Amino acid sequence: MSRAPLAYVAGIYEHPDRAIDDRSLASVYLEIVAGVLADAGLSISDIDGFHTSLNPGGMPAMADLLGLSGIRHFDGTDLGGATYVSSLGTAARAIQAGDASVVLVVMAGLPRRGLFNRAVPGPHAVYELAHGSTLVGQYALAAQRHMHEFGTTRADLAEIKVASAYHASFNPNAMLPKRVTLDEVLEQPPIAEPLHRMDCCVVSDGGGAFILVNEEVARSLGKPLVGVVAQAETTRNWDNGRLDLTHTGAIQTGAQAFAQAGMSPADVDYASIYDSFTITVLLTLEDLGFCEKGQGGRFVRDGALLSPSGVLPLNTDGGGLSNNHPDMRGGMIRTIEAVRQLRGQAHPELQVPSCEVAIVHGSGFSLGARAMSSTSILVRES
Amino acid sequence: MTDLPGVELTLYPEDLPFFDGLERGEVVVTWCDHCDDHVWPPRSHCIRCYSPVAGSRTLAGTGEIYSYSVVHRGEGVFAKRPPYVLAYVSLDGGPTIMANVVADDPAALAVGARVRLRPRPAPATGRAGALFAVDPSA
Ligand SMILES: [Zn+2]
């Protein structure tokens, strides 16, 4: 690798529960922070930077809840599902600048109870609401257009769910731990055609956290060194009514991230790609450069995404399609699983041998237009 | 699939040319005279030259389907209704806009199919969105 890490991931924690009915959201945040501090071997007084996104009560309430005093660097940016992948960059750059040395990045939500963090309706919501647009419908429009332009099939999309379910079958905490066949995916009822039920991610409670630190702190902790070498983010807009639903911001963020890292897709050992829907993965893989535009359907066939045997082991925790999707912001859990792979702490059946380079991609809001992308590249240092 | 609900919408001056136009059976888009281009979705200012938008233009009301989805799980007033078609329609001489589509022959529903605005009666409550019908002659 040609670039020294900007910062290091010292701790990770994924809340084990998927349905939390009897506890407060505040207690879930506290459990997560306790977990990530224990994993890192740090204490709350070591934290001097704090990231979350939309949150209950605002940043001061969250800092107060968690007992964070003396924070020198805050970031509450909400990029939807791209959030937290983006924190790998913003927190790392704050560490590089000396604004902080130990940054806590935490999120939680209980959407099954309606307790998740969401923005007010956007400036052009009326043009969507008037036509019964839904979140699944917007992704379905991207999928349909891709099928038209490139001949992608529902079975191609189903391959992504089959791989996800296979990986989830090794995860004792996964919300949907049962393996599924291609035919079972195809037989599901439609939600918004061409997307059917198993093309969609789960709705789960929970959350997660990671801690980013500078090199000095990282080397003092005696843990495997996982460094951030690149991160880029961008949006795709409606572009004044000239939208293009078959391309995502990953074209830009992938190229930028690989250039920052001095790498190419061929260097990647493991990929954590946000899977809000199966089509999200397919478009992202094309745009990051793992295959040519339009060839995503062919690329994901024949077990390409299975770990460790496939050409690109992907989402070995089961992803949002089968493991969890806390607070509708999957970037956190995608990041955590990439760190597990680089540490050699993934499930033994799914651990990528000598995993040294991982890519993490988050997608926020819609797909193709009014959409957010963030890409990071993480490396294992010896 | 033509039985679409009216939707309660909070509309501002920049939104009215389009929604009022639909009630007359016309597709009206806000227009920047300086750039001689549509401004879509409607805004108070052009996002290229940042001039205030004063005008609008009535289009032919025809176009083609850029993409579509048969939505089986609607939300809000679209919940618990029969499946309906959500689409992006690329208007002749204008932007690609979100809309609903009806196809009298379901087999004719396709990306690239020609469509024409199908005027809707004013709903009992709320506002009507843009409904297009597949029409090979359009
Ligand atoms: Zn202009």
Side-chain angles (χ1 to χ4, degrees):
Chain A
M1 105 213 29
S2 63
R3 184 184 183 178
L6 298 164
Y8 294 83
V9 182
I12 52 172
Y13 184 77
E14 177 182 353
H15 199 285
D17 294 342
R18 304 293 177 258
I20 301 172
D21 298 323
D22 52 353
R23 276 168 284 157
S24 66
L25 182 56
S27 73
V28 176
Y29 274 101
L30 288 160
E31 278 182 80
I32 291 167
V33 174
V36 77
L37 289 171
D39 183 73
L42 291 163
S43 67
I44 194 72
S45 58
D46 295 320
I47 308 292
D48 61 2
F50 176 47
H51 283 218
T52 186
S53 74
L54 289 183
N55 61 82
M59 296 301 265
M62 292 302 295
D64 184 73
L65 168 72
L66 301 174
L68 294 167
S69 53
I71 299 294
R72 300 187 285 140
H73 163 72
F74 288 90
D75 191 332
T77 306
D78 178 37
L79 304 180
T83 322
Y84 312 114
V85 179
S86 58
S87 291
L88 290 168
T90 47
R93 288 188 282 270
I95 286 169
Q96 279 283 306
D99 292 343
S101 54
V102 181
V103 180
L104 169 67
V105 184
V106 61
M107 55 87 72
L110 303 174
R112 293 171 70 262
R113 247 189 271 171
L115 286 175
F116 69 99
N117 300 300
R118 53 186 141 185
V120 298
H124 296 127
V126 295
Y127 295 89
E128 298 186 347
L129 292 171
H131 303 107
S133 177
T134 64
L135 187 70
V136 189
Q138 289 164 27
Y139 284 76
L141 289 166
Q144 187 81 268
R145 182 73 196 183
H146 199 276
M147 289 176 169
H148 170 78
E149 285 191 27
F150 303 113
T152 306
T153 65
R154 278 194 59 216
D156 294 335
L157 297 180
E159 294 275 9
I160 294 163
K161 170 64 182 185
V162 169
S164 151
Y166 172 78
H167 292 152
S169 72
F170 295 95
N171 181 348
N173 298 326
M175 191 160 178
L176 301 176
K178 195 169 158 288
R179 293 180 194 178
V180 297
T181 66
L182 202 66
D183 284 341
E184 284 173 313
V185 181
L186 295 174
E187 286 161 8
Q188 296 299 309
I191 306 297
E193 296 180 58
L195 299 181
H196 292 235
R197 185 160 65 190
M198 285 192 187
D199 291 296
C200 307
C201 64
V202 300
V203 176
S204 62
D205 295 336
F210 59 79
I211 293 175
L212 229 59
V213 301
N214 66 20
E215 182 173 0
E216 182 188 348
V217 175
R219 293 196 184 279
S220 75
L221 294 172
K223 289 275 171 61
L225 285 177
V226 172
V228 182
V229 290
Q231 187 269 336
E233 64 211 30
T234 194
T235 59
R236 291 280 291 193
N237 300 337
W238 269 333
D239 202 15
N240 196 25
R242 293 184 176 90
L243 81 175
D244 167 6
L245 290 185
T246 58
H247 294 79
T248 74
I251 293 174
Q252 180 179 323
T253 59
Q256 280 184 9
F258 281 120
Q260 286 172 28
M263 293 181 187
S264 76
D267 294 312
V268 172
D269 299 311
Y270 166 79
S272 260
I273 306 294
Y274 192 22
D275 53 347
S276 47
F277 299 91
T278 49
I279 184 64
T280 319
V281 175
L282 193 118
L283 290 187
T284 305
L285 289 174
E286 291 177 354
D287 292 346
L288 291 176
F290 288 101
C291 60
E292 282 183 34
K293 190 70 210 172
Q295 297 300 305
R298 279 192 200 131
F299 180 79
V300 301
R301 287 175 205 163
D302 305 320
L305 309 181
L306 295 177
S307 191
S309 59
V311 296
L312 185 66
L314 181 130
N315 295 353
T316 40
D317 60 315
L321 290 170
S322 304
N323 176 22
N324 68 344
H325 187 224
D327 208 37
M328 313 298 187
R329 289 175 180 80
M332 171 60 73
I333 309 298
R334 292 307 86 239
T335 302
I336 289 172
E337 182 65 7
V339 175
R340 288 195 196 105
Q341 280 285 355
L342 292 167
R343 283 178 170 184
Q345 293 175 346
H347 189 284
E349 293 285 330
L350 304 179
Q351 176 65 47
V352 175
S354 331
C355 187
E356 291 180 354
V357 178
I359 192 165
V360 188
H361 183 86
S363 301
F365 302 94
S366 194
L367 188 66
R370 195 167 60 66
M372 193 81 216
S373 291
S374 180
T375 305
S376 291
I377 296 173
L378 305 180
V379 300
R380 164 71 182 262
E381 271 203 346
S382 44
Chain B
M1 286 199 190
T2 47
D3 180 29
L4 295 166
V7 184
E8 295 295 343
L9 303 172
T10 302
L11 299 180
Y12 293 96
E14 59 267 33
D15 301 312
L16 293 174
F18 177 70
F19 284 100
D20 287 349
L22 291 177
E23 293 186 358
R24 299 191 305 271
E26 294 176 341
V27 176
V28 181
V29 297
T30 40
W31 203 269
C32 175
D33 290 329
H34 182 257
C35 296
D36 193 26
D37 194 10
H38 60 258
V39 177
W40 192 264
R43 295 172 171 88
S44 60
H45 291 68
C46 170
I47 54 171
R48 187 186 302 164
C49 70
Y50 258 79
S51 306
V53 170
S56 61
R57 187 166 287 194
T58 301
L59 304 179
T62 53
E64 67 175 49
I65 296 176
Y66 173 82
S67 191
Y68 71 95
S69 171
V70 180
V71 179
H72 294 258
R73 301 270 186 90
E75 295 165 4
V77 293
F78 285 83
K80 296 182 179 132
R81 301 179 71 90
Y84 57 92
V85 178
L86 175 71
Y88 275 116
V89 169
S90 298
L91 296 168
D92 294 336
T96 298
I97 71 170
M98 191 168 269
N100 296 116
V101 169
V102 63
D104 298 325
D105 169 14
L109 184 65
V111 174
R114 295 290 302 167
V115 295
R116 184 189 302 278
L117 187 74
R118 175 168 287 184
R120 294 170 60 182
T125 58
R127 289 277 190 156
L131 176 65
F132 290 82
V134 175
D135 181 350
S137 73

